Amino acid sequence: QKEVEQNSGPLSVPEGAIASLNCTYSDRGSQSFFWYRQYSGKSPELIMSIYSNGDKEDGRFTAQLNKASQYVSLLIRDSQPSDSATYLCAVERLPGNTGKLIFGQGTTLQVKP
Amino acid sequence: GAVVSQHPSRVICKSGTSVKIECRSLDFQATTMFWYRQFPKKSLMLMATSNEGSKATYEQGVEKDKFLINHASLTLSTLTVTSAHPEDSSFYICSARAAGGPLNEQFFGPGTRLTVL
């Protein structure tokens, strides 16, 4: 089992729709979770961090965390063509306090005008 | 804030040469920097962790004598790919964690694309 799993996609949504990106992780003790966006040929850009169960909203983005189910998701409301990118889920690698992250393989999102 | 730069952005070299990549945190002090490698359509693979003033720690399978890391100051870490070969061609990305910042929150540099002929 991979430590951080994401569906590679591509996930295709029409402009204006909600895009839902999912991620599961294997290490139950992980406490820190991140979503990064990566455009083709560019480096990752931090979108959201989440540490507690529940939802965290920032503009059009909402991160959701369920530690019991070892599941973290990212919702993008009112999707725009400029949101088309690969979204990487990253999870703190245990033991903690090292700053090390484990990345999923990424989900490619395509927003069609 | 939280800007990380890398230099060069792109390098093409002949097999057998060494290439140095610089990673700088421009507006914050980074006690820890990380070096990643990314092959096409693959995710980021952590190569090593660079701590200011101490030796880097390498991930399993990464040759420390081939990938030399120096973290000379709180704003600069360098990765030197020694005796590069075509299989070392990849996208190398550094990230930095701000001293006193949220635990595990990393900011990435723009990356260096290395092509070894």
Side-chain angles (χ1 to χ4, degrees):
Chain A
Q1 180 188 6
K2 291 182 182 177
E3 293 176 275
V4 179
E5 290 204 58
Q6 295 179 255
N7 188 320
S8 61
L11 171 66
S12 184
V13 301
E15 183 175 358
I18 296 175
S20 178
L21 304 163
N22 304 316
C23 172
T24 58
Y25 60 96
S26 60
D27 207 323
R28 183 170 289 278
S30 296
Q31 300 293 322
S32 306
F33 308 87
F34 306 87
W35 282 100
Y36 286 85
R37 176 176 62 197
Q38 186 175 26
Y39 291 111
S40 181
K42 303 294 185 182
S43 67
E45 172 192 8
L46 180 65
I47 299 176
M48 296 279 286
S49 59
I50 187 166
Y51 306 96
S52 304
N53 278 328
D55 294 0
K56 179 181 178 183
E57 188 174 318
D58 184 359
R60 294 187 296 114
F61 299 99
T62 298
Q64 299 174 318
L65 175 61
N66 184 325
K67 292 182 181 178
S69 300
Q70 295 174 234
Y71 175 95
V72 58
S73 65
L74 179 71
L75 300 178
I76 306 175
R77 289 181 298 282
D78 188 24
S79 297
Q80 301 297 308
S82 58
D83 294 327
S84 298
T86 296
Y87 289 81
L88 302 170
C89 171
V91 177
E92 171 197 26
R93 191 169 101 178
L94 298 180
N97 300 319
T98 64
K100 294 183 180 181
L101 300 177
I102 305 171
F103 285 84
Q105 65 183 75
T107 298
T108 300
L109 172 66
Q110 296 174 347
V111 181
K112 297 189 175 180
Chain B
V3 177
V4 177
S5 71
Q6 266 184 258
H7 178 80
S9 58
R10 184 180 297 268
V11 59
I12 301 173
C13 68
K14 291 182 179 180
S15 185
T17 59
S18 294
V19 176
K20 179 186 279 190
I21 303 170
E22 290 188 349
C23 177
R24 293 181 185 272
S25 56
L26 298 184
D27 52 359
F28 65 99
Q29 292 185 328
T31 51
T32 305
M33 289 183 174
F34 302 91
W35 287 96
Y36 294 86
R37 181 167 52 181
Q38 187 177 36
F39 292 106
K41 299 194 183 300
K42 300 293 185 183
S43 191
L44 281 74
M45 295 301 296
L46 179 65
M47 298 175 67
T49 303
S50 170
N51 293 296
E52 187 268 339
S54 62
K55 289 184 179 180
T57 56
Y58 292 80
E59 296 300 302
Q60 190 172 12
V62 178
E63 300 175 57
K64 63 180 181 180
D65 294 331
K66 180 163 184 66
F67 299 100
L68 301 178
I69 291 173
N70 186 310
H71 197 145
S73 73
L74 284 171
T75 59
L76 173 64
S77 176
T78 60
L79 167 68
T80 301
V81 184
T82 61
S83 187
H85 291 284
E87 58 266 29
D88 298 323
S89 299
S90 188
F91 192 41
Y92 292 86
I93 313 172
C94 72
S95 72
R97 184 174 73 167
L103 191 65
N104 298 331
E105 194 164 276
Q106 298 180 25
F107 299 94
F108 284 85
T112 297
R113 191 162 301 281
L114 171 63
T115 302
V116 185
L117 302 176

